Amino acid sequence: MTVRGTLVDIPTADGTADAYLAHPDDDRPHPGVLLYMDAFGLRPHLKGMADRIATAGYTVLVPNAFYRNGRAPLVELPELIDIEQCDEIFDQIVPLLATLTPEATARDADAFLRWFAESPLVQDGPIGLTGYCRGALLALRTAASHPDRIAVAAGFHGGNLATERPDSPHLGAHRITAELYFGHADQDESLPPEQISRLDQALTAAGVRHTTEVYAGASHGYTQADTTRYDAAADARHWKALLSLLKRTLPA
């Protein structure tokens, strides 16, 4: 299936979010998928991921979650990001991540979901979410803040999903009606086993349909081929899980 990719601007309560849009090049409406970026931001690799999902018959939107600080790219990145040698990059990213509060995330989700509802490229009805790294946390929060609009949400190598903080995203489990899937990395200091267990317990207690898989040997960031944490086998497993989940819950 031929895919068309373009840049779009989305009005939000806090400004204008630039975003990448990928959709089948047939001028027909398709189920919508919101892809939440990882900490390194909107860049060619994420656009390629959106294109791949669109090839399966979906209209995919990848917003620049850091838009309050400017249009993407906000941080200059090398062709291959060496996670062990990028302290200067993280020094720039950490303040950007701090802007993604629960309240800001909910306001942004309002705008993104309104865009899906108004776009002629998107079928009527609920949409799907997928998120990576910090994006998995944003997907979990959006599933809780907009239960009537989200049919399914997936998160891969997400961190800090079930902390002891009063604003931890797992505390919104009782509001979620979507089906969830998580592909955790077992070599991930940002999501230790106790958090995985706490998240599962919260979802089970709330009656949320969910699947949790821990990818053995995978590190945080295993889906991101432009970083040194990329794991081809774990990434292939992620694609199989994600596309199967979308096909079953949001048939294109």
Side-chain angles (χ1 to χ4, degrees):
M1 181 179 293
T2 303
V3 167
R4 184 187 304 172
T6 57
L7 297 178
V8 297
D9 286 342
I10 301 174
T12 78
D14 298 335
T16 300
D18 50 311
Y20 178 72
L21 170 65
H23 59 90
D25 192 12
D26 58 8
D27 294 322
R28 294 171 46 217
H30 295 270
V33 173
L34 175 60
L35 191 161
Y36 277 123
M37 65 186 214
D38 66 349
F40 292 117
L42 180 57
R43 60 194 191 281
H45 174 65
L46 289 185
K47 294 177 182 179
M49 296 181 75
D51 289 347
R52 182 164 178 176
I53 298 171
T55 300
Y58 297 92
T59 295
V60 187
L61 187 70
V62 192
N64 166 26
F66 299 148
Y67 72 88
R68 292 173 182 82
N69 298 89
R71 300 179 72 86
L74 277 79
V75 178
E76 184 176 350
L77 300 171
E79 186 173 337
L80 179 66
I81 304 167
D82 187 342
I83 302 299
E84 313 308 325
Q85 304 292 330
C86 63
D87 289 348
E88 291 184 3
I89 292 175
F90 280 117
D91 286 344
Q92 299 174 70
I93 289 175
V94 168
L96 300 177
L97 292 172
T99 67
L100 304 181
T101 64
E103 296 78 16
T105 299
R107 292 195 302 273
D108 288 349
D110 285 340
F112 303 151
L113 294 172
R114 182 169 57 251
W115 182 92
F116 277 106
E118 295 174 351
S119 173
L121 296 172
V122 182
Q123 287 182 0
D124 292 339
I127 70 161
L129 306 174
T130 186
Y132 302 86
C133 177
R134 179 57 64 94
L137 183 151
L138 300 181
L140 184 57
R141 282 182 171 158
T142 299
S145 63
H146 296 76
D148 59 323
R149 295 297 316 283
I150 309 303
V152 61
F156 299 92
H157 50 80
N160 301 309
L161 300 180
T163 69
E164 295 181 343
R165 291 173 54 90
D167 62 353
S168 178
H170 79 288
L171 298 176
H174 63 285
R175 296 191 297 271
I176 295 174
T177 60
E179 180 174 346
L180 305 184
Y181 173 91
F182 292 100
H184 302 308
D186 76 340
Q187 306 295 313
D188 192 344
E189 294 181 357
S190 69
L191 196 77
E194 57 267 27
Q195 284 200 42
I196 295 175
S197 177
R198 187 179 296 134
L199 175 60
D200 279 341
Q201 290 175 14
L203 295 174
T204 299
V208 177
R209 295 164 296 161
H210 69 284
T211 299
T212 296
E213 295 186 327
V214 179
Y215 292 18
S219 298
H220 184 84
Y222 62 78
T223 64
Q224 304 302 299
D226 58 354
T227 79
T228 54
R229 294 283 178 86
Y230 180 65
D231 184 316
D235 184 36
R237 181 177 176 182
H238 135 262
W239 279 115
K240 182 178 180 180
L242 175 61
L243 295 177
S244 296
L245 180 69
L246 292 175
K247 183 178 180 180
R248 179 171 56 79
T249 57
L250 284 177

